[in-house]
């Protein structure tokens, strides 16, 4: 939840202009003037009200100065940033205009900074950040899957590089760009032959058996919520003669997803028969079946991971994909991303016990 902590003031005609940035070309956007009029009318009918939020859709094709003043901007500029980085002239102009406004108004809270969003859009950069955070935290409950970036077609030295980076078959292949429809297209590679189907630039990441359960963590400041989703079933470790599996991760992890990739035979394991890992988590030898012990994510671990990412990136709104290693019980962060479209804005205001300090602006006459 994002709520607002505001001191009492003598003037009722104060407002917080909280703006979400939408890029729909045909959407109708209210002007700042009309919003102020509506606010003034509301306050006149509501004596004692000292806080009012106005939500305004910004139009980046027009001067932002004319649409303010703005206290907070919550944006979803991922598509525009990607297009700008590919030298699209219109997107470059929009991003430049937005950045110029940010530079001219340091008092405006931006959720979230553009440099941080660029890191979240690049899986290679975000995975390296996860690796660094794991090394810094030195928490045995956390593991970052080994990964490497492939920048050219696989050659004779590719297997050596894979081994050097700590990867082993099977591993999962993902696009480097972590946004857009294509970013959900992935593959599980089981052998050297499967490498021929890999199309760089891409990122490969060790596959960790996790009993076909994915935990999506939605972070808003210091608060978060965890949603359980279906995921890929377990696979035998090591090289096998399986053909590569191509899939769409968005479809596999839908709440109602039912797929041969997520279905697996349940193997009940008596807790008394399990051994204990050095980190204190129960485990058994790896199986291609779902083991009967399911460890839910630890709140303390998620809190620490979220805090570390917030501090490293300077972001307040983002998502984390976490799986639980079915052998060790360790938490593995397999993706981090900008706050997803699937979570409506009203969720932000429904979160509990979260305060964002705001600069309150007086209504203009």
């Amino acid at each position: 939840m994002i709520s607002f902590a505001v001191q009492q003031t003598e003037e009722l005609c104060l407002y917080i202009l909280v703006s979400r940035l939408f890029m729909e070309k045909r959407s109708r956007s209210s002007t700042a003037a009309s919003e102020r009029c509506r606010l003034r009318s509301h306050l006149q009918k509501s004596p004692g009200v000292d806080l009012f939020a106005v939500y305004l859709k910004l139009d980046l094709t027009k001067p932002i100065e004319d649409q303010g003043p703005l206290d907070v901007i919550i944006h979803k500029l991922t598509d525009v940033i990607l297009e700008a980085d590919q030298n699209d002239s219109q997107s470059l102009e929009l991003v430049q205009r937005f950045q110029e406004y940010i530079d001219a108004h340091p008092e405006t809270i931006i959720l979230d900074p553009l440099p941080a969003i660029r890191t979240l859009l690049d899986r290679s950069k975000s995975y390296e950040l996860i690796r660094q955070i794991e090394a810094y935290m030195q928490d045995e409950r956390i593991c970052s899957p080994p990964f490497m970036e492939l920048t050219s077609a696989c050659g004779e030295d590719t297997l050596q590089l894979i081994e050097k980076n700590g990867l082993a078959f099977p591993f999962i292949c993902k696009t480097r760009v972590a946004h857009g429809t294509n970013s959900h297209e992935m593959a599980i590679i089981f052998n050297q032959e499967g490498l021929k189907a890999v199309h760089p630039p891409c990122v490969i990441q060790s596959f960790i058996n996790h009993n076909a359960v994915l935990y999506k963590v939605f972070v808003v400041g210091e608060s978060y919520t965890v949603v359980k989703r279906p995921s890929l079933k377990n696979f035998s470790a090591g090289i096998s003669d399986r053909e590569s599996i191509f899939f769409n991760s968005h479809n596999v992890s839908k709440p109602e997803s039912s797929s041969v990739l997520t279905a697996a035979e349940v193997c009940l394991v008596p807790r008394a028969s399990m051994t204990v890992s050095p980190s204190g988590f129960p485990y058994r030898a790896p199986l291609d079946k779902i083991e009967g012990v399911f460890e839910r994510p630890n709140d303390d671990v998620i809190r620490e991971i979220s805090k570390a990412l917030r501090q490293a990136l300077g972001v307040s709104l983002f998502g984390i994909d976490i799986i639980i290693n079915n052998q060790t019980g360790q938490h593995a962060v397999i993706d981090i991303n900008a706050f997803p479209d699937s979570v409506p804005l009203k969720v932000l205001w429904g979160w509990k016990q979260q305060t964002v300090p705001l600069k309150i602006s007086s209504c203009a006459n």
Side-chain angles (χ1 to χ4, degrees):
M1 169 183 182
I2 295 183
S3 58
F4 304 103
V6 184
Q7 291 182 336
Q8 290 277 353
T9 64
E10 295 182 0
E11 293 185 50
L12 288 179
C13 197
L14 295 178
Y15 71 98
I16 301 171
L17 186 56
V18 182
S19 305
R20 187 180 185 188
L21 185 55
F22 288 88
M23 297 307 298
E24 302 103 334
K25 296 180 180 179
R26 297 184 180 179
S27 67
R28 287 190 244 167
S29 62
S30 303
T31 64
S34 65
E35 291 291 356
R36 288 184 183 126
C37 291
R38 185 167 67 86
L39 168 63
R40 218 179 256 114
S41 174
H42 178 88
L43 290 176
Q44 288 172 353
K45 297 176 183 178
S46 308
V49 175
D50 63 345
L51 175 63
F52 192 82
V54 179
Y55 308 106
L56 175 68
K57 292 183 180 181
L58 290 185
D59 185 349
L60 274 191
T61 63
K62 300 176 181 179
I64 301 177
E65 292 283 357
D66 297 343
Q67 303 175 65
L70 308 174
D71 294 296
V72 182
I73 298 177
I74 302 175
H75 72 85
K76 185 70 173 178
L77 277 174
T78 44
D79 287 329
V80 180
I81 292 172
L82 285 175
E83 291 169 358
D85 289 346
Q86 295 171 2
N87 294 319
D88 178 81
S89 58
Q90 183 179 7
S91 297
L92 280 168
E93 182 180 351
L94 295 179
V95 171
Q96 181 180 354
R97 181 177 297 159
F98 187 63
Q99 188 62 56
E100 287 174 351
Y101 181 86
I102 294 173
D103 295 339
H105 295 275
E107 76 282 2
T108 302
I109 298 172
I110 307 299
L111 301 177
D112 276 310
L114 298 191
I117 298 301
R118 283 191 167 92
T119 297
L120 292 176
L121 291 175
D122 188 322
R123 282 194 171 106
S124 184
K125 291 181 178 179
S126 64
Y127 290 178
E128 177 60 25
L129 178 63
I130 294 169
R131 188 194 65 78
Q132 293 174 4
I133 288 175
E134 181 202 2
Y136 173 78
M137 294 177 68
Q138 295 185 337
D139 190 329
E140 290 185 347
R141 298 172 297 178
I142 301 170
C143 67
S144 61
F147 79 96
M148 66 173 285
E149 181 184 358
L150 293 177
T151 57
S152 58
C154 297
E156 296 180 357
D157 61 340
T158 303
L159 285 179
Q160 294 179 346
L161 289 173
I162 290 174
E163 184 177 351
K164 182 179 178 181
N165 282 274
L167 284 91
F169 292 104
F171 50 75
I172 191 163
C173 181
K174 310 178 184 182
T175 60
R176 177 168 178 170
V177 176
H179 179 73
T181 304
N182 290 338
S183 68
H184 297 291
E185 299 299 329
M186 303 182 183
I188 306 174
I189 310 297
F190 296 94
N191 48 56
Q192 186 174 358
E193 184 68 19
L195 288 171
K196 296 179 180 179
V198 171
H199 300 290
C202 61
V203 176
I204 57 175
Q205 182 186 61
S206 284
F207 181 83
I208 295 176
N209 283 330
H210 52 282
N211 287 338
V213 177
L214 169 69
Y215 295 97
K216 300 191 77 68
V217 182
F218 301 105
V219 181
V220 178
E222 296 181 1
S223 299
Y224 66 86
T225 188
V226 181
V227 178
K228 183 179 177 181
R229 294 283 175 82
S231 185
L232 297 171
K233 64 182 181 180
N234 299 334
F235 293 101
S236 299
I239 296 177
S240 72
D241 58 359
R242 285 179 182 261
E243 292 187 2
S244 299
I245 298 175
F246 297 87
F247 66 98
N248 183 291
S249 62
H250 179 71
N251 294 335
V252 166
S253 294
K254 284 183 178 179
E256 70 281 4
S257 176
S258 177
S259 166
V260 292
L261 292 178
T262 62
E265 180 184 351
V266 174
C267 177
L268 296 178
V269 180
R271 184 173 288 272
S273 69
M274 292 188 299
T275 57
V276 177
S277 70
S279 59
F281 292 91
Y283 75 99
R284 282 179 62 91
L287 300 172
D288 291 337
K289 306 172 183 178
I290 288 184
E291 295 184 304
V293 176
F294 293 87
E295 299 289 343
R296 282 192 55 82
N298 182 287
D299 281 337
D300 181 57
V301 173
I302 293 180
R303 191 177 302 111
E304 290 302 313
I305 292 174
S306 301
K307 179 181 178 181
L309 286 170
R310 285 201 320 273
Q311 293 176 343
L313 289 167
V315 295
S316 299
L317 309 174
F318 58 99
I320 313 173
D321 288 352
I322 293 179
I323 58 175
I324 306 298
N325 189 314
N326 74 337
Q327 300 178 52
T328 65
Q330 291 175 300
H331 297 61
V333 177
I334 59 172
D335 258 318
I336 52 177
N337 40 69
F339 209 71
D341 293 323
S342 57
V343 179
L345 186 62
K346 65 182 180 180
V347 171
L348 304 183
W349 318 130
W351 242 289
K352 297 180 179 179
Q353 300 177 350
Q354 178 65 35
T355 299
V356 173
L358 296 177
K359 179 179 181 292
I360 307 303
S361 306
S362 297
C363 280
N365 293 326

